[in-house]
């Protein structure tokens, strides 16, 4: 599959809230996932670890009130999109967050993802 095809499939999965399906079907076994400084986990490596990270995120969410994902911008073997979420995390007030998501595709699979956003302060 071409990068454009992977990008469109990922965006479609995300718009339907099918994040687990996106990871299972589009990510490579050795995926590297990078979060910004200040996030609870900076780097996650491997498909099983990324699946666990996604589940940990789901476990933190009380309710997603709305989500918006842009069309992908594709260049060479990279693509990006923006994601905006209106979400209530467990034990926290409702908040809006937005991020830029950057992906790298090799041999028909996403092999790297990196997210750019301002993390919420972590409480000890």
């Amino acid at each position: 599959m071409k990068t454009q095809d992977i990008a469109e499939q990922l965006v479609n999965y995300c718009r339907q809230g099918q994040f687990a399906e996106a990871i299972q079907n589009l990510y490579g076994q050795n995926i590297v996932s990078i979060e910004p400084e200040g996030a609870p986990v900076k780097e996650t490596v491997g498909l099983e670890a990324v699946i666990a990270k996604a589940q940990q995120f789901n476990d933190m969410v009380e309710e997603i009130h709305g989500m918006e994902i842009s069309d992908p911008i594709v260049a060479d073997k990279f693509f990006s999109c923006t994601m905006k979420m209106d979400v209530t995390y467990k034990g926290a007030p409702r908040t809006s967050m937005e991020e830029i998501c950057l992906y790298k595709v090799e041999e028909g699979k996403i092999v790297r993802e990196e997210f750019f956003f301002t993390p919420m302060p972590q409480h000890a």
Side-chain angles (χ1 to χ4, degrees), residues 2-12 14-15 27 68-84 99-105 110 112-116:
K2 294 183 178 179
T3 301
Q4 183 72 43
D5 299 326
I6 300 286
E8 289 172 4
Q9 283 188 9
L10 180 77
V11 166
N12 286 334
C14 292
R15 286 177 176 163
Y27 284 37
E68 182 181 318
I69 294 100
S70 70
D71 289 337
I73 298 171
V74 179
D76 189 30
K77 55 185 171 181
F78 301 91
F79 70 93
S80 66
C81 58
T82 60
M83 186 178 298
K84 298 177 184 178
E99 61 187 330
I100 293 174
C101 312
L102 176 64
Y103 301 89
K104 180 180 182 181
V105 175
I110 296 171
R112 182 181 173 91
E113 64 180 6
E114 187 165 359
F115 303 106
F116 299 88

Side-chain angles (χ1 to χ4, degrees), residues 19-63:
F19 299 101
E21 292 85 346
I23 293 168
Q24 286 288 349
N25 295 323
L26 301 176
Y27 284 37
Q29 286 295 317
N30 298 315
I31 177 75
V32 175
S33 180
I34 307 292
E35 300 281 346
E37 283 299 326
V41 177
K42 175 77 172 139
E43 182 176 310
T44 306
V45 179
L47 187 59
E48 295 305 316
V50 169
I51 290 169
K53 182 180 87 160
Q55 185 58 52
Q56 182 181 32
F57 174 80
N58 291 339
D59 292 345
M60 292 174 17
V61 172
E62 184 173 308
E63 183 177 355

